[in-house]
Amino acid sequence: MKTVLVSIKFEYEGTIHNHAFLVENQFIPTINSKVQNHPVELNGDPIELLARFSGAKGTILKSFELQINGITGYKLSNIEFKTNGLEIKVPIPYSNFNLK
């Protein structure tokens, strides 16, 4: 297994009550809408990302960014909550982060 450093940051407009992030089924703690250089053991290609947000309907996730070893490999922007929550669940190929 390979250990990498994961950074996540997000910005929003509206109300978010709770959020949680899992990378390779490992919890990533955040403070003030970001985390930097949290170590994660990779299980294999692709990298599994799960991000959950709960908040008010109409809240907008202005930006969401996942970095591994300082390289941004996944970004989203301007996603509106159609209900009181949002879930992002995606496989991200190693190639997005220049990993082998």
Side-chain angles (χ1 to χ4, degrees):
M1 287 194 204
K2 180 177 187 158
T3 301
V4 296
L5 298 176
V6 171
S7 298
I8 294 173
K9 63 182 176 179
F10 67 95
E11 296 177 5
Y12 61 93
E13 191 174 279
T15 303
I16 290 183
H17 303 294
N18 295 304
H19 61 274
F21 306 110
L22 296 173
V23 174
E24 296 288 8
N25 290 321
Q26 298 165 58
F27 178 72
I28 309 295
T30 58
I31 297 174
N32 296 328
S33 303
K34 67 181 177 181
V35 62
Q36 288 189 304
N37 299 324
H38 185 78
V40 169
E41 292 285 328
L42 296 182
N43 296 323
D45 198 359
I47 297 166
E48 297 295 327
L49 167 68
L50 174 62
R52 288 187 176 151
F53 300 88
S54 65
K57 182 178 177 179
T59 293
I60 298 173
L61 186 61
K62 298 295 281 177
S63 68
F64 175 83
E65 182 176 306
L66 174 68
Q67 293 183 351
I68 292 182
N69 294 340
I71 297 172
T72 300
Y74 188 75
K75 287 177 105 171
L76 292 174
S77 60
N78 297 318
I79 308 296
E80 184 176 349
F81 287 32
K82 300 294 181 187
T83 62
N84 63 352
L86 175 68
E87 180 176 285
I88 302 164
K89 185 176 183 179
V90 293
I92 307 168
Y94 276 17
S95 59
N96 284 23
F97 303 100
N98 295 329
L99 296 171
K100 296 179 184 178

Coordinates of all heavy atoms in Angstrom, one line a residue:
M1 N 0.8 -1.2 0.0 CA 0.0 0.0 0.0 C 0.9 1.2 0.0 O 2.0 1.2 0.5 CB -0.9 0.0 1.2 CG -2.0 -1.0 1.2 SD -3.2 -0.5 2.4 CE -3.9 -2.1 2.6
K2 N 0.3 2.3 -0.5 CA 1.0 3.6 -0.7 C 0.3 4.6 0.2 O -0.9 4.7 0.2 CB 1.0 4.0 -2.1 CG 1.7 5.2 -2.4 CD 1.7 5.5 -3.9 CE 2.5 6.7 -4.2 NZ 3.0 6.8 -5.5
T3 N 1.1 5.4 1.0 CA 0.6 6.5 1.8 C 0.7 7.8 1.0 O 1.8 8.1 0.5 CB 1.3 6.6 3.1 OG1 1.2 5.3 3.8 CG2 0.8 7.7 4.0
V4 N -0.3 8.5 1.0 CA -0.4 9.8 0.3 C -0.9 10.9 1.3 O -1.5 10.5 2.3 CB -1.2 9.8 -1.0 CG1 -0.6 8.9 -2.0 CG2 -2.7 9.5 -0.7
L5 N -0.7 12.1 1.0 CA -1.2 13.2 1.8 C -2.4 13.9 1.1 O -2.3 14.3 0.0 CB -0.1 14.3 2.0 CG 1.1 13.7 2.8 CD1 2.1 14.8 2.9 CD2 0.7 13.2 4.2
V6 N -3.6 13.8 1.8 CA -4.8 14.3 1.2 C -5.2 15.7 1.8 O -5.1 15.9 3.0 CB -6.0 13.3 1.5 CG1 -7.3 13.9 1.1 CG2 -5.7 12.0 0.8
S7 N -5.6 16.6 0.9 CA -6.1 17.9 1.3 C -7.4 18.1 0.6 O -7.6 17.8 -0.5 CB -5.1 19.0 0.8 OG -3.9 18.9 1.4
I8 N -8.4 18.6 1.4 CA -9.7 18.9 0.9 C -10.1 20.3 1.4 O -9.8 20.7 2.5 CB -10.8 17.9 1.5 CG1 -10.5 16.5 1.0 CG2 -12.2 18.4 1.2 CD1 -11.4 15.5 1.7
K9 N -10.7 21.1 0.5 CA -11.3 22.4 0.9 C -12.6 22.6 0.1 O -12.7 22.1 -1.0 CB -10.3 23.5 0.7 CG -9.9 23.8 -0.7 CD -8.9 24.9 -0.8 CE -8.4 25.1 -2.2 NZ -7.4 26.2 -2.2
F10 N -13.5 23.3 0.8 CA -14.7 23.6 0.1 C -15.2 24.9 0.6 O -14.9 25.4 1.7 CB -15.8 22.5 0.3 CG -16.2 22.3 1.8 CD1 -17.4 23.0 2.2 CD2 -15.5 21.5 2.6 CE1 -17.8 22.8 3.5 CE2 -16.0 21.3 3.9 CZ -17.1 22.0 4.4
E11 N -16.0 25.6 -0.2 CA -16.7 26.8 0.1 C -18.2 26.7 -0.2 O -18.5 26.0 -1.2 CB -16.1 28.0 -0.7 CG -14.7 28.3 -0.4 CD -14.1 29.4 -1.3 OE1 -14.8 30.0 -2.1 OE2 -12.9 29.6 -1.2
Y12 N -19.0 27.3 0.5 CA -20.4 27.2 0.3 C -21.1 28.5 0.6 O -20.6 29.4 1.2 CB -21.1 26.1 1.1 CG -20.9 26.3 2.6 CD1 -21.9 26.9 3.3 CD2 -19.8 25.9 3.3 CE1 -21.8 27.1 4.7 CE2 -19.7 26.1 4.6 CZ -20.7 26.7 5.3 OH -20.6 26.9 6.7
E13 N -22.4 28.7 0.0 CA -23.2 29.8 0.3 C -24.5 29.2 0.8 O -25.2 28.5 0.1 CB -23.4 30.5 -1.1 CG -24.1 31.9 -1.0 CD -24.0 32.5 -2.4 OE1 -23.0 33.1 -2.7 OE2 -25.1 32.4 -3.1
G14 N -24.9 29.6 2.0 CA -26.1 29.1 2.6 C -25.8 28.4 3.9 O -24.9 28.9 4.7
T15 N -26.4 27.3 4.2 CA -26.3 26.6 5.5 C -25.9 25.2 5.3 O -26.5 24.4 4.7 CB -27.6 26.7 6.3 OG1 -28.0 28.0 6.4 CG2 -27.4 26.0 7.7
I16 N -24.7 24.8 5.9 CA -24.3 23.4 6.0 C -24.2 23.1 7.5 O -23.5 23.8 8.2 CB -23.0 23.2 5.3 CG1 -23.2 23.3 3.8 CG2 -22.4 21.8 5.6 CD1 -22.0 23.0 2.9
H17 N -25.0 22.1 7.9 CA -24.9 21.7 9.3 C -23.8 20.7 9.6 O -23.1 20.8 10.6 CB -26.3 21.1 9.7 CG -27.5 21.9 9.5 ND1 -27.7 23.1 10.2 CD2 -28.5 21.8 8.6 CE1 -28.8 23.7 9.7 NE2 -29.3 22.9 8.8
N18 N -23.7 19.7 8.8 CA -22.6 18.7 9.0 C -22.0 18.3 7.6 O -22.7 18.5 6.6 CB -23.3 17.4 9.5 CG -23.8 17.7 10.9 OD1 -23.1 18.1 11.8 ND2 -25.1 17.4 11.1
H19 N -20.8 17.8 7.7 CA -20.2 17.3 6.5 C -19.2 16.2 6.9 O -18.7 16.2 8.1 CB -19.4 18.4 5.7 CG -18.3 19.0 6.5 ND1 -18.6 20.1 7.3 CD2 -17.0 18.8 6.6 CE1 -17.5 20.5 7.9 NE2 -16.5 19.7 7.4
A20 N -19.0 15.2 6.0 CA -18.0 14.1 6.3 C -17.4 13.7 5.0 O -18.0 13.7 4.0 CB -18.8 13.0 6.9
F21 N -16.1 13.4 5.1 CA -15.4 12.9 3.9 C -14.7 11.6 4.2 O -14.0 11.4 5.3 CB -14.3 14.0 3.5 CG -14.9 15.3 3.3 CD1 -14.6 16.3 4.2 CD2 -15.7 15.6 2.3 CE1 -15.1 17.6 4.1 CE2 -16.2 16.9 2.1 CZ -15.9 17.9 3.0
L22 N -14.8 10.7 3.3 CA -14.0 9.4 3.3 C -13.2 9.3 2.0 O -13.8 9.5 0.9 CB -15.0 8.2 3.4 CG -15.8 8.1 4.7 CD1 -16.8 7.0 4.5 CD2 -15.0 7.9 5.9
V23 N -12.0 9.0 2.1 CA -11.1 8.7 1.0 C -10.6 7.3 1.3 O -9.9 7.1 2.3 CB -10.0 9.7 0.8 CG1 -9.0 9.3 -0.3 CG2 -10.5 11.1 0.5
E24 N -10.8 6.4 0.4 CA -10.5 5.0 0.5 C -11.0 4.4 1.8 O -10.3 3.7 2.6 CB -8.9 4.8 0.5 CG -8.3 5.2 -0.8 CD -8.6 4.2 -1.9 OE1 -9.4 3.2 -1.8 OE2 -8.0 4.3 -3.0
N25 N -12.3 4.8 2.2 CA -13.0 4.4 3.4 C -12.3 4.8 4.7 O -12.5 4.2 5.7 CB -13.2 2.9 3.4 CG -14.2 2.5 2.4 OD1 -15.2 3.2 2.2 ND2 -14.0 1.4 1.7
Q26 N -11.5 5.9 4.6 CA -10.8 6.4 5.8 C -11.3 7.8 6.0 O -11.3 8.7 5.1 CB -9.3 6.5 5.5 CG -8.7 5.0 5.3 CD -7.3 5.1 4.8 OE1 -6.4 5.7 5.4 NE2 -7.1 4.4 3.6
F27 N -11.8 8.1 7.2 CA -12.3 9.4 7.6 C -11.3 10.5 7.5 O -10.2 10.3 8.0 CB -12.9 9.3 9.0 CG -13.5 10.6 9.5 CD1 -14.7 11.1 8.9 CD2 -12.8 11.4 10.4 CE1 -15.2 12.3 9.4 CE2 -13.4 12.6 10.9 CZ -14.5 13.0 10.4
I28 N -11.7 11.6 6.9 CA -10.8 12.8 6.8 C -11.4 13.9 7.6 O -12.4 14.5 7.2 CB -10.6 13.2 5.3 CG1 -10.3 12.1 4.4 CG2 -9.6 14.4 5.2 CD1 -8.9 11.5 4.6
P29 N -10.8 14.2 8.8 CA -11.3 15.3 9.6 C -11.0 16.7 9.0 O -10.0 16.9 8.4 CB -10.6 15.1 10.9 CG -9.3 14.5 10.5 CD -9.6 13.6 9.3
T30 N -12.0 17.6 9.1 CA -11.9 18.9 8.6 C -12.1 19.9 9.7 O -12.9 19.7 10.6 CB -12.8 19.2 7.4 OG1 -14.2 19.0 7.9 CG2 -12.5 18.4 6.2
I31 N -11.4 21.1 9.6 CA -11.6 22.2 10.5 C -11.8 23.4 9.6 O -11.0 23.7 8.7 CB -10.4 22.4 11.4 CG1 -10.3 21.1 12.3 CG2 -10.6 23.6 12.3 CD1 -9.0 21.2 13.2
N32 N -12.8 24.2 9.8 CA -13.1 25.4 9.1 C -13.1 25.1 7.6 O -12.5 25.8 6.8 CB -12.1 26.5 9.4 CG -12.2 26.9 10.8 OD1 -13.2 26.9 11.4 ND2 -11.0 27.3 11.4
S33 N -13.8 24.1 7.2 CA -14.0 23.8 5.7 C -12.8 23.3 5.0 O -12.7 23.4 3.8 CB -14.7 24.9 5.0 OG -15.9 25.3 5.6
K34 N -11.8 22.8 5.7 CA -10.6 22.3 5.0 C -9.8 21.4 5.9 O -9.9 21.4 7.1 CB -9.7 23.5 4.5 CG -9.0 24.3 5.5 CD -8.2 25.4 4.9 CE -7.6 26.2 6.0 NZ -6.8 27.3 5.5
V35 N -8.9 20.6 5.2 CA -7.9 19.8 5.9 C -6.7 19.8 4.9 O -6.9 19.8 3.7 CB -8.4 18.4 6.1 CG1 -8.8 17.6 4.9 CG2 -7.4 17.6 6.9
Q36 N -5.5 19.8 5.5 CA -4.3 19.8 4.7 C -3.4 18.6 5.1 O -3.2 18.4 6.3 CB -3.6 21.1 4.8 CG -4.3 22.2 4.0 CD -3.4 23.4 3.9 OE1 -3.0 24.0 4.9 NE2 -3.2 23.9 2.7
N37 N -2.9 17.9 4.1 CA -1.9 16.9 4.3 C -2.3 15.8 5.4 O -1.4 15.5 6.2 CB -0.6 17.6 4.7 CG -0.1 18.5 3.5 OD1 -0.3 18.2 2.4 ND2 0.5 19.6 3.9
H38 N -3.5 15.3 5.2 CA -3.9 14.2 6.1 C -3.4 12.9 5.4 O -3.8 12.6 4.3 CB -5.4 14.2 6.3 CG -5.9 13.1 7.2 ND1 -5.8 13.3 8.6 CD2 -6.4 11.9 7.0 CE1 -6.3 12.2 9.2 NE2 -6.7 11.4 8.2
P39 N -2.7 12.0 6.2 CA -2.2 10.8 5.5 C -3.3 9.7 5.3 O -4.1 9.6 6.2 CB -1.1 10.3 6.5 CG -1.5 10.9 7.8 CD -2.2 12.2 7.5
V40 N -3.2 9.1 4.1 CA -4.2 8.1 3.7 C -3.5 7.0 3.0 O -2.6 7.2 2.2 CB -5.3 8.7 2.8 CG1 -6.2 7.6 2.2 CG2 -6.2 9.7 3.5
E41 N -3.9 5.7 3.4 CA -3.3 4.5 2.7 C -4.2 4.2 1.5 O -5.4 4.0 1.6 CB -3.3 3.3 3.6 CG -2.4 3.4 4.8 CD -0.9 3.2 4.4 OE1 -0.7 2.4 3.5 OE2 -0.1 3.8 5.0
L42 N -3.6 4.2 0.3 CA -4.3 3.9 -0.9 C -4.5 2.4 -1.0 O -3.5 1.6 -0.8 CB -3.6 4.4 -2.1 CG -3.5 6.0 -2.2 CD1 -2.8 6.4 -3.5 CD2 -4.9 6.6 -2.1
N43 N -5.7 2.0 -1.5 CA -6.0 0.5 -1.6 C -5.8 0.1 -3.1 O -5.8 -1.1 -3.3 CB -7.4 0.2 -1.2 CG -7.6 0.5 0.3 OD1 -6.7 0.2 1.1 ND2 -8.7 1.0 0.7
G44 N -5.7 1.0 -4.0 CA -5.6 0.6 -5.4 C -6.3 1.6 -6.3 O -7.1 2.4 -5.8
D45 N -6.0 1.5 -7.6 CA -6.7 2.4 -8.5 C -8.0 1.9 -8.9 O -8.2 0.7 -9.2 CB -5.8 2.5 -9.8 CG -6.0 3.6 -10.7 OD1 -6.9 4.4 -10.4 OD2 -5.3 3.7 -11.7
P46 N -9.1 2.7 -8.9 CA -9.2 4.1 -8.6 C -9.3 4.4 -7.1 O -9.6 3.6 -6.3 CB -10.4 4.5 -9.3 CG -11.3 3.4 -9.2 CD -10.4 2.2 -9.3
I47 N -9.1 5.7 -6.8 CA -9.3 6.2 -5.4 C -10.8 6.4 -5.2 O -11.4 7.0 -6.0 CB -8.5 7.5 -5.2 CG1 -7.0 7.3 -5.4 CG2 -8.8 8.1 -3.9 CD1 -6.2 8.6 -5.6
E48 N -11.3 5.9 -4.1 CA -12.7 6.1 -3.8 C -12.9 7.3 -2.9 O -12.4 7.4 -1.8 CB -13.3 4.8 -3.1 CG -13.2 3.6 -4.0 CD -14.1 3.6 -5.2 OE1 -15.2 4.3 -5.1 OE2 -13.7 3.1 -6.2
L49 N -13.8 8.2 -3.4 CA -14.1 9.4 -2.6 C -15.6 9.4 -2.3 O -16.5 9.1 -3.1 CB -13.9 10.7 -3.4 CG -14.5 12.0 -2.9 CD1 -13.8 12.4 -1.6 CD2 -14.3 13.1 -4.0
L50 N -15.9 9.7 -1.0 CA -17.3 9.8 -0.5 C -17.3 11.1 0.3 O -16.6 11.2 1.3 CB -17.8 8.6 0.3 CG -19.2 8.8 0.9 CD1 -20.2 8.9 -0.1 CD2 -19.4 7.6 1.9
A51 N -18.2 12.1 -0.1 CA -18.4 13.3 0.6 C -19.8 13.5 0.8 O -20.6 13.4 -0.1 CB -17.8 14.5 -0.2
R52 N -20.2 13.8 2.1 CA -21.6 14.0 2.4 C -21.8 15.3 3.1 O -21.0 15.7 4.0 CB -22.1 12.9 3.3 CG -22.3 11.6 2.6 CD -23.0 10.6 3.5 NE -23.2 9.4 2.7 CZ -23.2 8.2 3.3 NH1 -23.1 8.0 4.6 NH2 -23.5 7.1 2.5
F53 N -22.8 16.0 2.7 CA -23.1 17.3 3.3 C -24.6 17.3 3.7 O -25.4 16.8 2.9 CB -22.9 18.5 2.3 CG -21.5 18.6 1.7 CD1 -21.1 17.9 0.6 CD2 -20.6 19.4 2.3 CE1 -19.9 18.0 0.1 CE2 -19.3 19.6 1.8 CZ -18.9 18.8 0.7
S54 N -24.9 17.9 4.9 CA -26.3 18.1 5.2 C -26.5 19.6 5.5 O -25.6 20.2 6.1 CB -26.7 17.3 6.4 OG -26.0 17.7 7.6
G55 N -27.6 20.1 5.0 CA -27.8 21.6 5.2 C -29.1 21.9 4.6 O -30.0 21.1 4.4
A56 N -29.3 23.2 4.4 CA -30.6 23.7 4.0 C -30.8 23.6 2.5 O -29.8 23.8 1.7 CB -30.8 25.2 4.4
K57 N -32.0 23.2 2.1 CA -32.3 23.2 0.6 C -32.0 24.5 0.0 O -32.3 25.6 0.6 CB -33.8 22.8 0.5 CG -34.2 22.7 -1.0 CD -35.7 22.3 -1.1 CE -36.1 22.3 -2.5 NZ -37.5 21.9 -2.6
G58 N -31.4 24.6 -1.1 CA -31.0 25.8 -1.8 C -29.6 26.2 -1.5 O -29.1 27.2 -2.1
T59 N -28.9 25.6 -0.5 CA -27.5 25.9 -0.3 C -26.7 25.6 -1.5 O -27.0 24.6 -2.2 CB -27.0 25.1 0.9 OG1 -27.7 25.5 2.1 CG2 -25.5 25.2 1.1
I60 N -25.7 26.3 -1.8 CA -24.8 26.1 -3.0 C -23.4 25.8 -2.5 O -22.8 26.5 -1.8 CB -24.8 27.4 -3.9 CG1 -26.2 27.6 -4.4 CG2 -23.8 27.2 -5.0 CD1 -26.4 28.9 -5.2
L61 N -22.9 24.6 -3.0 CA -21.6 24.3 -2.8 C -20.8 25.0 -3.9 O -20.8 24.6 -5.0 CB -21.4 22.7 -2.9 CG -20.0 22.2 -2.6 CD1 -19.6 22.5 -1.2 CD2 -20.0 20.7 -2.8
K62 N -20.2 26.1 -3.5 CA -19.5 27.0 -4.4 C -18.3 26.3 -5.0 O -18.0 26.5 -6.2 CB -19.1 28.3 -3.8 CG -20.3 29.1 -3.3 CD -21.2 29.6 -4.3 CE -20.6 30.8 -5.0 NZ -21.4 31.3 -6.2
S63 N -17.5 25.6 -4.2 CA -16.4 24.9 -4.7 C -16.0 23.7 -3.8 O -16.3 23.8 -2.6 CB -15.1 25.8 -4.9 OG -14.7 26.2 -3.6
F64 N -15.5 22.7 -4.4 CA -15.0 21.5 -3.6 C -13.8 21.0 -4.4 O -13.8 20.8 -5.6 CB -16.1 20.4 -3.6 CG -15.6 19.1 -3.0 CD1 -15.7 19.0 -1.6 CD2 -15.2 18.1 -3.8 CE1 -15.2 17.8 -1.0 CE2 -14.7 16.9 -3.2 CZ -14.7 16.8 -1.8
E65 N -12.7 20.8 -3.6 CA -11.5 20.4 -4.3 C -10.8 19.3 -3.4 O -10.7 19.4 -2.2 CB -10.6 21.6 -4.3 CG -9.3 21.4 -5.0 CD -8.5 22.7 -5.1 OE1 -9.0 23.7 -5.7 OE2 -7.3 22.8 -4.6
L66 N -10.3 18.3 -4.1 CA -9.5 17.2 -3.5 C -8.1 17.3 -4.1 O -8.0 17.2 -5.3 CB -10.2 15.9 -3.8 CG -9.4 14.6 -3.3 CD1 -9.3 14.6 -1.8 CD2 -10.0 13.4 -3.9
Q67 N -7.1 17.3 -3.2 CA -5.7 17.3 -3.6 C -5.0 16.0 -3.0 O -5.4 15.7 -1.9 CB -4.9 18.5 -3.2 CG -5.3 19.8 -3.8 CD -4.5 20.9 -3.4 OE1 -3.7 20.8 -2.4 NE2 -4.6 22.1 -4.0
I68 N -4.1 15.5 -3.8 CA -3.3 14.4 -3.2 C -1.9 14.8 -3.5 O -1.5 15.1 -4.7 CB -3.6 13.0 -3.8 CG1 -5.0 12.6 -3.3 CG2 -2.6 12.0 -3.4 CD1 -5.5 11.3 -3.7
N69 N -1.0 14.8 -2.5 CA 0.4 15.2 -2.6 C 0.5 16.5 -3.3 O 1.4 16.7 -4.1 CB 1.2 14.1 -3.3 CG 1.3 12.8 -2.5 OD1 1.1 12.9 -1.3 ND2 1.6 11.8 -3.1
G70 N -0.4 17.5 -3.0 CA -0.3 18.8 -3.6 C -0.9 19.0 -5.0 O -0.9 20.1 -5.5
I71 N -1.4 17.9 -5.6 CA -1.9 18.0 -7.0 C -3.4 17.9 -6.9 O -4.0 16.9 -6.4 CB -1.3 16.9 -7.8 CG1 0.2 17.0 -8.0 CG2 -2.0 16.8 -9.2 CD1 0.9 15.9 -8.6
T72 N -4.1 18.9 -7.5 CA -5.6 18.9 -7.5 C -6.0 17.9 -8.6 O -5.6 18.0 -9.8 CB -6.1 20.3 -7.8 OG1 -5.7 21.2 -6.8 CG2 -7.6 20.3 -7.9
G73 N -6.8 16.9 -8.2 CA -7.3 15.9 -9.2 C -8.8 15.8 -9.3 O -9.3 15.1 -10.2
Y74 N -9.5 16.6 -8.5 CA -11.0 16.5 -8.5 C -11.5 17.8 -8.0 O -11.1 18.3 -6.9 CB -11.5 15.4 -7.7 CG -13.0 15.1 -7.9 CD1 -13.5 14.5 -9.0 CD2 -13.9 15.6 -6.9 CE1 -14.8 14.3 -9.2 CE2 -15.2 15.4 -7.1 CZ -15.7 14.8 -8.2 OH -17.1 14.6 -8.4
K75 N -12.4 18.5 -8.9 CA -13.0 19.7 -8.5 C -14.4 19.7 -8.9 O -14.8 19.2 -10.0 CB -12.3 20.9 -9.2 CG -10.9 21.3 -8.7 CD -10.3 22.4 -9.6 CE -10.4 23.7 -8.8 NZ -9.6 24.7 -9.5
L76 N -15.3 20.4 -8.1 CA -16.7 20.7 -8.4 C -16.9 22.1 -8.1 O -16.3 22.7 -7.2 CB -17.6 19.8 -7.6 CG -17.6 18.3 -7.8 CD1 -18.5 17.6 -6.8 CD2 -18.1 18.0 -9.2
S77 N -17.9 22.7 -8.7 CA -18.3 24.0 -8.4 C -19.8 24.3 -8.7 O -20.4 23.7 -9.6 CB -17.5 25.1 -9.1 OG -17.6 25.0 -10.5
N78 N -20.4 25.2 -7.9 CA -21.7 25.6 -8.0 C -22.8 24.5 -8.1 O -23.6 24.4 -9.0 CB -21.8 26.6 -9.2 CG -21.0 27.8 -9.1 OD1 -21.0 28.4 -8.0 ND2 -20.3 28.2 -10.1
I79 N -22.8 23.7 -7.1 CA -23.7 22.6 -7.0 C -24.8 23.0 -6.0 O -24.5 23.3 -4.8 CB -23.1 21.3 -6.5 CG1 -21.9 20.9 -7.4 CG2 -24.1 20.1 -6.5 CD1 -22.2 20.6 -8.8
E80 N -26.1 23.1 -6.4 CA -27.1 23.5 -5.5 C -27.8 22.3 -4.8 O -28.0 21.3 -5.5 CB -28.2 24.2 -6.3 CG -29.3 24.8 -5.4 CD -30.3 25.6 -6.1 OE1 -30.1 26.0 -7.3 OE2 -31.4 25.9 -5.5
F81 N -28.0 22.4 -3.5 CA -28.8 21.3 -2.8 C -30.2 21.4 -3.2 O -30.9 22.3 -3.0 CB -28.7 21.6 -1.3 CG -27.4 21.4 -0.6 CD1 -26.2 21.6 -1.2 CD2 -27.4 21.0 0.7 CE1 -25.0 21.4 -0.6 CE2 -26.2 20.8 1.4 CZ -25.0 21.0 0.7
K82 N -30.7 20.3 -3.8 CA -32.1 20.2 -4.2 C -32.9 19.7 -3.1 O -34.2 19.8 -3.0 CB -32.2 19.2 -5.4 CG -31.5 19.6 -6.6 CD -32.0 20.9 -7.2 CE -31.3 21.3 -8.5 NZ -31.6 22.6 -9.0
T83 N -32.3 19.1 -2.1 CA -32.9 18.6 -0.8 C -32.1 19.2 0.3 O -31.4 20.1 0.1 CB -33.0 17.1 -0.8 OG1 -31.7 16.5 -0.8 CG2 -33.8 16.5 -2.0
N84 N -32.2 18.6 1.5 CA -31.5 19.0 2.6 C -30.1 18.3 2.8 O -29.5 18.4 3.8 CB -32.2 18.9 3.9 CG -32.6 17.4 4.2 OD1 -32.3 16.6 3.4 ND2 -33.1 17.2 5.4
G85 N -29.6 17.7 1.7 CA -28.3 17.1 1.7 C -27.8 16.9 0.3 O -28.5 17.0 -0.7
L86 N -26.5 16.5 0.3 CA -25.8 16.3 -1.0 C -24.8 15.2 -0.7 O -24.1 15.2 0.3 CB -25.1 17.6 -1.4 CG -24.2 17.5 -2.7 CD1 -25.0 17.2 -3.9 CD2 -23.4 18.8 -2.8
E87 N -24.7 14.2 -1.6 CA -23.7 13.2 -1.5 C -22.9 13.1 -2.8 O -23.5 13.1 -3.9 CB -24.3 11.8 -1.2 CG -23.3 10.7 -1.1 CD -24.0 9.4 -0.7 OE1 -24.3 9.2 0.4 OE2 -24.1 8.5 -1.6
I88 N -21.6 13.1 -2.7 CA -20.7 12.9 -3.8 C -20.0 11.6 -3.6 O -19.3 11.4 -2.6 CB -19.6 14.0 -3.9 CG1 -20.3 15.4 -4.0 CG2 -18.7 13.8 -5.0 CD1 -19.4 16.6 -3.7
K89 N -20.1 10.6 -4.6 CA -19.5 9.3 -4.5 C -18.9 9.0 -5.8 O -19.7 8.7 -6.7 CB -20.5 8.3 -4.0 CG -19.9 6.9 -3.7 CD -20.9 5.9 -3.2 CE -20.2 4.6 -2.9 NZ -21.2 3.7 -2.4
V90 N -17.6 9.1 -5.9 CA -17.0 8.9 -7.2 C -15.6 8.1 -7.1 O -14.9 8.3 -6.1 CB -16.7 10.2 -7.9 CG1 -18.0 10.9 -8.3 CG2 -15.8 11.1 -7.1
P91 N -15.3 7.3 -8.1 CA -14.0 6.8 -8.2 C -13.1 7.7 -9.0 O -13.6 8.3 -10.0 CB -14.2 5.5 -9.0 CG -15.4 5.7 -9.8 CD -16.3 6.7 -9.1
I92 N -11.9 8.0 -8.6 CA -11.1 8.9 -9.2 C -9.8 8.2 -9.6 O -9.1 7.7 -8.8 CB -10.7 10.1 -8.3 CG1 -12.0 10.8 -7.8 CG2 -9.9 11.2 -9.1 CD1 -11.8 11.8 -6.7
P93 N -9.4 8.2 -10.9 CA -8.3 7.4 -11.3 C -7.0 8.1 -10.8 O -6.9 9.3 -10.6 CB -8.3 7.5 -12.9 CG -9.3 8.5 -13.2 CD -10.2 8.8 -12.0
Y94 N -6.0 7.2 -10.5 CA -4.7 7.7 -10.1 C -4.1 8.7 -11.0 O -3.4 9.6 -10.6 CB -3.7 6.5 -10.0 CG -3.7 5.7 -8.8 CD1 -4.8 5.7 -7.9 CD2 -2.6 4.8 -8.5 CE1 -4.8 4.9 -6.7 CE2 -2.6 4.0 -7.4 CZ -3.7 4.1 -6.5 OH -3.7 3.3 -5.4
S95 N -4.4 8.6 -12.3 CA -3.8 9.5 -13.3 C -4.2 10.9 -13.1 O -3.4 11.9 -13.5 CB -4.2 9.1 -14.7 OG -5.6 9.1 -14.9
N96 N -5.3 11.2 -12.4 CA -5.7 12.6 -12.1 C -4.7 13.3 -11.2 O -4.6 14.5 -11.1 CB -7.1 12.6 -11.5 CG -8.2 12.4 -12.4 OD1 -8.0 11.8 -13.5 ND2 -9.4 12.8 -12.1
F97 N -4.0 12.4 -10.4 CA -3.0 13.0 -9.4 C -1.6 12.6 -9.8 O -0.7 12.8 -8.9 CB -3.3 12.4 -8.0 CG -4.7 12.7 -7.6 CD1 -5.7 11.8 -7.7 CD2 -5.1 14.0 -7.0 CE1 -7.0 12.0 -7.3 CE2 -6.4 14.2 -6.6 CZ -7.3 13.3 -6.7
N98 N -1.3 12.2 -11.0 CA 0.0 11.7 -11.4 C 0.6 10.6 -10.5 O 1.8 10.6 -10.2 CB 1.0 12.9 -11.5 CG 0.6 13.9 -12.6 OD1 0.0 13.5 -13.6 ND2 0.9 15.2 -12.4
L99 N -0.3 9.7 -10.0 CA 0.2 8.6 -9.2 C 0.3 7.4 -10.1 O -0.4 7.2 -11.1 CB -0.9 8.3 -8.1 CG -1.1 9.4 -7.1 CD1 -2.3 9.1 -6.2 CD2 0.2 9.6 -6.2
K100 N 1.1 6.5 -9.7 CA 1.3 5.2 -10.4 C 1.0 4.0 -9.5 O 1.1 4.1 -8.3 CB 2.7 5.1 -10.9 CG 3.0 6.1 -11.9 CD 4.5 6.0 -12.4 CE 4.8 7.1 -13.3 NZ 6.1 7.2 -13.8

